[in-house]
Amino acid sequence: MKIEAKNLNVSFGESHILKNINMKIPKNSVTALIGPSGCGKSTFIRSINRMNDLIPSFQHDGEILLDGVDVYDSKIDVVNLRKQVGMVFQKPNPFPKSIFENVAYGLRIHGEVDEEYIEKTVEESLKSAAIWDEVKDKLNNSAMGLSGGQQQRLCIARTIAVSPRVILMDEPCSALDPISTLKIEDLIHRLKDEYTIVMVTHNMQQATRVSEFTSFFLNGEIIESNRTDQLFVNPKEKKTEEYITGRFG
Amino acid sequence: MNFRRLWSPQTSQKIMNVIFTLSGLFTLLILAIILGYILIRGLPAINFEFIFTNPIDSGKSGGILPMIISSLYVTAIAALIATPLGVGAAIYMTEFAENQKLIKFIRFGAETLASIPSIIFGLFGLAFFVVFLNLGWSILSGGLVLALMAFPTIFQVSEVTLSSIPSTYKEGSYGLGATKLQTIFSVVLPAAIPGIITGVILAITRAISEAAAVMYAVGSALSIPISLFDPGRPLPLHLYVLATEGVSLENAYGTAAVLVIIVLILTVGTNYIVERYQMKIMGI
């Protein structure tokens, strides 16, 4: 599923967070959003699955098209949208339920009652998220007992279970140790064949390791978008160069 | 300035350590004295007959079975009514209410309700439930009064518990496409259950120990209440009558001991279950 933002403006009350964002995200690719804290990266991905709707002062203008359909169109059902556009959060946030029920949750809320199908999907999702071998013998244990890295892979499994077409990741590794980070990056590599992945990251090495496209955000604007290999080797904008060489941010 | 200490700081520290430790132990001491006194005076009166038979001669002899049943009956009614109301109101406050002034006002209302003396609740119960709604002196009237008393505690504890549930749980749920209702019932409430149950137990152990609140509402019958509209006589009321009317001090202590034991079983039993549940969901 390809994503396109057209003249997107977002504000919370008086503060104008995103200014005239125009961006195209090709399907089945990994796109990294980089930039200093508070530049609007998270706000941008939270606009794609309309998580910002939960904040009362949220206002927007412009369009975000998923395969050509505006997600803010009045005919769009948010429940359905979020089923198609999954999200993995910065801090692993499994529910205080069993490992199995964490993954089954999405299926159950969307009305799935066939236990056999649920069991099969839970297993497949845990396998896709590369955590099955670690948890297969303790599916009924609480997910809260897993390590941070395992919890984050479980959250990815939970997202995959409802068969989204886009996965948004908001700094998925920032709370994890280096080994867990590598595991998640490996996973992202493998998932991109099936999903369109948009990932916010503070870590530029991570952007170069996992993404094919990178957009550089600064103060609510996109300064530069390009193929990752080109953006980091040969940035066109001076600000991009300053940021990726570590002169600010 | 020539200032001579009476003690060195190390000595003051030691003295204060002892004082603080004693203050802590004092809590236990009070509990031990009260429980010990009641149990020592009351346990000799308790036997199979005392628990499982009806009173004879207004309680001079015989047992207290109708009182135990009355107590459990009115308390169960109070819990059944006050829990959904209290938890519902807390859900409204934490998940739906947006007007901060209204939220503060409701909170203030609950605090005030919690501070009303129980005898006032009793008087209100007589005027409103017994007379105005014409429910008569009955288990139902008594249960309703106790529900009113239990409501603010359940509400307050539930509100604190619900607002302490991390918002990341909710985000995770919304992110999967869950509705607000699904999120509340499938994620927020299960995580809040230990705290809510603690609040319910706190409220109903107060309710089961109430004499003043129920004395004008529940009647004073000595027989086993069957229907909601039968009058009853909960343990604290029986205790009050036995003691103030000089019926039998021995049986008054027996009744007190039974009441204390019931409260202990409720508290310890639910604490155990809540802890087990907590450990299960948090994977400890």
Side-chain angles (χ1 to χ4, degrees):
Chain A
M1 192 173 244
K2 64 176 192 285
I3 307 166
E4 186 175 358
K6 277 189 181 165
N7 296 323
L8 180 71
N9 280 278
V10 169
S11 28
F12 294 109
E14 292 297 299
S15 48
H16 194 178
I17 306 291
L18 291 179
K19 298 158 193 162
N20 264 327
I21 301 291
N22 283 289
M23 188 175 176
K24 282 187 181 171
I25 297 172
K27 75 180 217 186
N28 295 9
S29 65
V30 180
T31 300
L33 310 182
I34 61 167
S37 297
C39 66
K41 309 174 299 262
S42 293
T43 303
F44 176 69
I45 68 165
R46 280 165 175 264
S47 302
I48 302 175
N49 67 343
R50 293 184 56 174
M51 284 300 271
N52 287 329
D53 291 18
L54 300 173
I55 301 162
S57 63
F58 169 73
Q59 285 168 304
H60 87 287
D61 184 63
E63 294 180 316
I64 293 184
L65 306 171
L66 285 183
D67 279 350
V69 182
D70 184 11
V71 300
Y72 285 99
D73 191 288
S74 58
K75 288 191 215 90
I76 290 286
D77 175 18
V78 179
V79 166
N80 227 334
L81 170 72
R82 293 188 186 141
K83 194 167 169 249
Q84 294 200 36
V85 184
M87 185 164 223
V88 177
F89 297 84
Q90 181 168 1
K91 205 167 154 266
N93 61 345
F95 304 126
K97 296 176 185 290
S98 71
I99 293 169
F100 183 89
E101 284 306 322
N102 260 276
V103 186
Y105 180 76
L107 299 166
R108 295 197 197 282
I109 57 167
H110 292 297
E112 185 57 62
V113 286
D114 180 353
E115 282 299 321
E116 238 172 78
Y117 174 80
I118 291 178
E119 264 176 47
K120 196 175 85 170
T121 313
V122 167
E123 182 176 339
E124 281 167 8
S125 309
L126 288 168
K127 279 179 178 159
S128 316
I131 190 181
W132 172 252
D133 289 334
E134 291 158 68
V135 299
K136 64 175 185 237
D137 299 323
K138 47 177 185 179
L139 291 175
N140 289 321
N141 290 11
S142 170
M144 309 304 274
L146 297 174
S147 74
Q150 289 174 324
Q151 288 187 358
Q152 195 63 304
R153 277 178 285 145
L154 179 70
C155 290
I156 293 175
R158 181 174 77 182
T159 306
I160 293 172
V162 294
S163 351
R165 297 172 63 193
V166 176
I167 302 178
L168 308 170
M169 298 189 175
D170 191 353
E171 297 188 48
C173 304
S174 65
L176 305 182
D177 63 83
I179 293 171
S180 306
T181 299
L182 278 182
K183 282 190 183 157
I184 304 266
E185 288 180 4
D186 273 352
L187 179 58
I188 294 171
H189 255 301
R190 278 184 290 112
L191 291 176
K192 75 163 192 216
D193 295 335
E194 279 182 74
Y195 309 94
T196 307
I197 297 175
V198 187
M199 182 172 101
V200 168
T201 179
H202 263 115
N203 181 329
M204 283 177 274
Q205 282 78 32
Q206 183 168 61
T208 57
R209 283 194 300 261
V210 300
S211 72
E212 296 152 274
F213 302 94
T214 299
S215 284
F216 171 51
F217 278 67
L218 185 64
N219 299 328
E221 291 176 85
I222 293 189
I223 303 297
E224 186 171 349
S225 294
N226 208 336
R227 293 191 56 87
T228 301
D229 43 19
Q230 283 164 19
L231 186 128
F232 280 97
V233 174
N234 193 9
K236 291 196 176 66
E237 299 288 330
K238 192 158 185 301
K239 280 181 183 152
T240 313
E241 191 192 334
E242 285 176 353
Y243 183 71
I244 61 178
T245 52
R247 245 167 272 171
F248 73 96
Chain B
M1 197 163 68
N2 190 1
F3 178 78
R4 274 189 59 213
R5 289 186 179 115
L6 285 173
W7 298 289
S8 73
Q10 286 82 352
T11 313
S12 322
Q13 177 71 55
K14 274 178 198 150
I15 293 169
M16 287 317 287
N17 283 353
V18 172
I19 290 177
F20 288 133
T21 311
L22 287 179
S23 314
L25 290 177
F26 191 62
T27 318
L28 278 183
L29 187 71
I30 300 171
L31 181 71
I33 290 174
I34 294 179
L35 274 187
Y37 188 73
I38 297 294
L39 291 179
I40 288 167
R41 298 284 307 257
L43 283 178
I46 300 178
N47 50 39
F48 183 83
E49 196 196 337
F50 188 67
I51 295 187
F52 292 102
T53 63
N54 284 7
I56 301 165
D57 270 355
S58 321
K60 203 172 237 127
S61 56
I64 54 165
L65 181 63
M67 290 77 205
I68 295 176
I69 291 174
S70 290
S71 265
L72 297 177
Y73 210 163
V74 286
T75 311
I77 289 169
L80 284 177
I81 295 170
T83 306
L85 285 178
V87 176
I91 290 175
Y92 169 74
M93 296 280 279
T94 50
E95 302 289 336
F96 293 96
E98 278 166 13
N99 183 337
Q100 286 303 318
K101 271 194 188 142
L102 181 65
I103 289 179
K104 275 194 184 147
F105 195 61
I106 293 177
R107 216 174 269 150
F108 173 74
E111 276 161 21
T112 313
L113 200 57
S115 63
I116 292 176
S118 52
I119 189 80
I120 309 276
F121 275 103
L123 207 56
F124 171 79
L126 172 67
F128 189 72
F129 296 125
V130 178
V131 178
F132 182 73
L133 294 183
N134 205 15
L135 299 174
W137 284 291
S138 62
I139 292 290
L140 183 60
S141 299
L144 285 167
V145 176
L146 292 182
L148 290 184
M149 282 195 65
F151 169 79
T153 309
I154 295 177
F155 166 75
Q156 286 171 326
V157 177
S158 302
E159 197 204 344
V160 171
T161 308
L162 286 171
S163 53
S164 71
I165 301 300
S167 61
T168 54
Y169 292 177
K170 288 183 229 170
E171 281 197 325
S173 176
Y174 289 133
L176 288 164
T179 61
K180 191 166 199 168
L181 207 62
Q182 287 172 328
T183 303
I184 291 170
F185 280 100
S186 307
V187 176
V188 178
L189 276 182
I193 274 180
I196 291 174
I197 290 182
T198 308
V200 171
I201 288 302
L202 191 68
I204 71 162
T205 48
R206 309 291 320 170
I208 203 171
S209 320
E210 262 306 325
V214 294
M215 64 195 301
Y216 304 130
V218 78
S220 193
L222 291 166
S223 51
I224 295 175
I226 307 292
S227 126
L228 281 174
F229 298 99
D230 288 346
R233 188 194 277 193
L235 290 164
L237 193 55
H238 186 56
L239 168 58
Y240 172 77
V241 173
L242 290 185
T244 50
E245 294 180 7
V247 180
S248 161
L249 210 52
E250 191 189 326
N251 281 352
Y253 278 111
T255 308
V258 168
L259 182 58
V260 165
I261 291 167
I262 291 177
V263 170
L264 278 180
I265 292 174
L266 275 176
T267 321
V268 176
T270 41
N271 272 351
Y272 176 76
I273 294 169
V274 163
E275 236 164 74
R276 288 280 300 269
Y277 175 81
Q278 181 95 329
M279 275 156 67
K280 188 169 182 293
I281 66 167
M282 298 310 284
I284 304 163

